[in-house]
Amino acid sequence: MKQLLTTLLITLTVISLQAKKKVQVADLWPDGTPIPEWFKVTKPVDLQSLGKQYRLTDYRIFADGRIHTNEIQDLIDEAAKNGGGVIVVPEGTYMTGGLHFRQGTHLYLAKGATLMGSDFIGDYPLGKTRIEGETCTYFGALINADGLDGFTISGEGTIDGNGLRYHQQFWLRRKWNRQCTNKDEQRPRLVYISNCKNVQIEGVNLQNSAFWTNHVYNSENVKFVGCHIYSLGKPNDSKGPSTDAIDLDVVKNVLIKNCYMSVNDDAVAIKGGKGPYADAFMTQYPGIKIPEENIGNGENRNIIIEDCEYGFCHGCLTLGSESVYNHNIILRRITISSQANNLLWLKMRPDTPQRYEYVTVEDIKGPVKNFILVAPWTQFYDLKGRKDSPLSYSDHIVMRNCECECNTFFNVKAQEDVYRLSNFTFENIKVKAANIDFTPEIVQNFKHSNIILSKE
């Protein structure tokens, strides 16, 4: 009996130590530092704690098909002037152009409520903003929050970008000029968060954006929780171009949890700047005048995307194409319900110095065309007079505990005059693919174990 109890005690001790070890691993960033408690807390937004409720219909703003930009903006400004409060959108469809939230104001969309964007670009005033890795003048978004601390968007309702006409106009322009850029066809984003901290976007439907759906710039402590993000447009002539679900651009501490994302571009794209001197914020270039559009570039650090479901998208997690330095990125516990193009996509611009490091992709199930894609990205390549091409790096990339059906398992291009790859780890991966070629020698110090590849 004594021996049995001793054996039981030893067994329980081993199990306890194993459990502690698992918790420790789950609580560490890819670079080995602890993940703060902030990332484990998803406290729901409490409507009653947001201050006075400014219900649209109480201020004669009705779901009558008219554009109510000025009236809603006046209401936001009144709430801010009176110490803050929450703009409540009741059931119904309310039309508006670009809105700018102020410190202390919030947005709540009731069940059955839709805040619908105007499909006339003139309803989104021009201003200094951030777009496609550059600081420039461009059109505002439908919902804008700049320089706020504690901003929230919540509820069970919908923010709809009304993007169909914009999509149709974009593809028509592309037929006329294949080289036109996203900015050439004037389109508003759906939500633009800039220079903010302590932001929570929770529970809402974010759909049919004309351009990027959510763009977060130069902000920290931002959470997307339980959102439904959709913007595919219609088949053939009007798929929603560049309707990225969430673009993170110079951010620190971002959690994306329990969200559904299905868009006609990248689901989560990590940005931060582009161009031959895009890293001027961290590198000295004596005697070089740094282009004005590079002012505002920066790094992305500490991002977790977890427990989400993906429909179609171009990239589940995409680093680039306008991105300079990314550190500690985690994509985990993801289900892909409709084939995505790429699980992990590292876009390597030959005209931009980049470093993508300490990225972990784990516990993924579902179909993708490419399990991993690493290749040069040359769209709108421009060295802007620089004589040498900047060299880029991707290192400490981990992919593990994944089970996927693919077209291609390892779509990694070697191009050492453009970028260097090192310290990759693949483990516990089961993939069925048409192309199961695996060339780990492309990557310096590639560790791989328990990789099961079968021909589709």
Side-chain angles (χ1 to χ4, degrees):
M1 184 67 178
K2 184 177 180 181
Q3 184 178 359
L4 179 62
L5 288 173
T6 302
T7 303
L8 181 60
L9 181 61
I10 292 172
T11 302
L12 289 173
T13 302
V14 169
I15 292 172
S16 177
L17 288 172
Q18 288 176 339
K20 285 181 180 179
K21 186 177 179 182
K22 286 183 179 179
V23 170
Q24 185 182 31
V25 170
D27 287 343
L28 295 180
W29 288 113
D31 69 1
T33 56
I35 296 175
E37 188 68 23
W38 180 88
F39 285 89
K40 304 166 194 173
V41 177
T42 52
K43 184 179 178 181
V45 174
D46 178 11
L47 176 62
Q48 304 306 318
S49 70
L50 299 179
K52 181 178 177 180
Q53 296 182 19
Y54 292 80
R55 185 181 177 90
L56 295 189
T57 48
D58 291 343
Y59 295 84
R60 302 191 62 77
I61 301 171
F62 300 116
D64 53 13
R66 297 190 299 122
I67 305 294
H68 290 285
T69 312
N70 292 336
E71 296 97 317
I72 299 175
Q73 187 62 60
D74 286 346
L75 198 57
I76 295 169
D77 294 343
E78 180 183 338
K81 183 179 178 180
N82 293 330
V86 54
I87 305 303
V88 176
V89 184
E91 185 178 356
T93 299
Y94 301 81
M95 301 290 296
T96 182
L99 300 172
H100 295 260
F101 281 79
R102 313 302 188 194
Q103 180 59 43
T105 62
H106 305 265
L107 176 61
Y108 177 85
L109 299 115
K111 186 175 182 179
T114 298
L115 197 61
M116 177 80 73
S118 164
D119 63 3
F120 171 53
I121 193 60
D123 288 323
Y124 303 86
L126 288 165
K128 185 71 76 174
T129 188
R130 178 81 173 182
I131 199 76
E132 291 206 316
E134 296 178 341
T135 300
C136 60
T137 298
Y138 194 69
F139 299 91
L142 177 59
I143 304 298
N144 302 270
D146 181 62
L148 308 186
D149 184 355
F151 176 64
T152 66
I153 301 174
S154 62
E156 299 180 66
T158 299
I159 303 174
D160 193 306
N162 196 17
L164 179 59
R165 180 176 290 183
Y166 295 107
H167 302 164
Q168 291 172 328
Q169 289 173 171
F170 177 88
W171 294 120
L172 183 61
R173 189 181 186 110
R174 271 286 171 92
K175 286 180 182 179
W176 170 65
N177 175 16
R178 289 292 303 167
Q179 297 305 309
C180 82
T181 69
N182 275 321
K183 290 191 292 186
D184 290 333
E185 182 54 49
Q186 302 160 346
R187 298 178 289 156
R189 290 154 289 176
L190 194 73
V191 176
Y192 179 51
I193 307 294
S194 57
N195 308 304
C196 291
K197 57 185 178 180
N198 303 315
V199 173
Q200 185 152 319
I201 301 177
E202 176 194 306
V204 292
N205 302 300
L206 303 157
Q207 65 187 39
N208 300 329
S209 182
F211 196 5
W212 296 348
T213 305
N214 296 280
H215 182 193
V216 183
Y217 170 66
N218 194 35
S219 298
E220 62 180 286
N221 297 345
V222 177
K223 293 179 179 178
F224 288 84
V225 181
C227 296
H228 186 279
I229 304 170
Y230 178 88
S231 195
L232 283 180
K234 294 185 177 180
N236 302 322
D237 66 338
S238 59
K239 289 181 180 179
S242 299
T243 48
D244 304 17
I246 301 174
D247 286 326
L248 302 177
D249 184 1
V250 189
V251 300
K252 181 181 179 182
N253 299 338
V254 173
L255 175 66
I256 302 169
K257 187 177 181 68
N258 293 330
C259 292
Y260 174 84
M261 292 174 274
S262 186
V263 293
N264 193 45
D265 211 317
D266 297 323
V268 179
I270 314 297
K271 301 185 179 291
K274 67 178 178 180
Y277 304 106
D279 62 344
F281 66 91
M282 58 192 297
T283 306
Q284 297 299 313
Y285 290 100
I288 300 293
K289 184 180 179 181
I290 304 304
E292 185 178 347
E293 63 265 21
N294 285 163
I295 298 172
N297 290 352
E299 67 173 39
N300 299 285
R301 184 179 290 268
N302 300 349
I303 298 166
I304 297 178
I305 308 110
E306 64 182 10
D307 303 313
C308 294
E309 180 184 351
Y310 283 71
F312 174 78
C313 62
H314 290 186
C316 296
L317 174 60
T318 301
L319 280 61
S321 61
E322 52 268 4
S323 195
V324 185
Y325 181 72
N326 304 315
H327 183 103
N328 277 344
I329 317 293
I330 297 175
L331 176 74
R332 64 186 177 189
R333 300 193 299 271
I334 301 299
T335 299
I336 304 166
S337 55
S338 179
Q339 188 182 54
N341 283 354
N342 305 290
L343 175 53
L344 177 62
W345 190 0
L346 307 181
K347 292 182 176 180
M348 312 302 297
R349 289 190 74 96
D351 62 1
T352 299
Q354 302 162 309
R355 184 156 208 140
Y356 305 156
E357 64 178 11
Y358 295 103
V359 179
T360 295
V361 176
E362 61 186 355
D363 301 314
I364 313 293
K365 288 189 176 182
V368 291
K369 288 185 178 178
N370 293 297
F371 185 76
I372 181 172
L373 173 60
V374 184
W377 182 266
T378 58
Q379 187 180 42
F380 310 121
Y381 171 83
D382 187 357
L383 276 174
K384 298 185 177 181
R386 181 168 174 170
K387 302 304 180 185
D388 63 311
S389 295
L391 193 61
S392 294
Y393 302 87
S394 289
D395 58 89
H396 295 92
I397 310 297
V398 175
M399 302 185 77
R400 63 188 173 208
N401 305 332
C402 299
E403 186 172 346
C404 297
E405 305 83 45
C406 311
N407 291 10
T408 301
F409 168 59
F410 193 70
N411 195 344
V412 178
K413 307 290 191 301
Q415 195 163 336
E416 290 212 348
D417 59 328
V418 177
Y419 53 84
R420 309 282 172 83
L421 309 176
S422 64
N423 298 303
F424 280 32
T425 300
F426 280 15
E427 58 187 11
N428 301 328
I429 293 172
K430 185 176 181 181
V431 164
K432 181 182 288 187
N435 182 350
I436 57 174
D437 291 348
F438 184 31
T439 52
E441 62 273 12
I442 289 175
V443 179
Q444 182 182 0
N445 190 28
F446 198 144
K447 299 177 182 178
H448 50 91
S449 62
N450 195 27
I451 309 298
I452 302 173
L453 303 176
S454 58
K455 194 82 171 174
E456 189 175 50

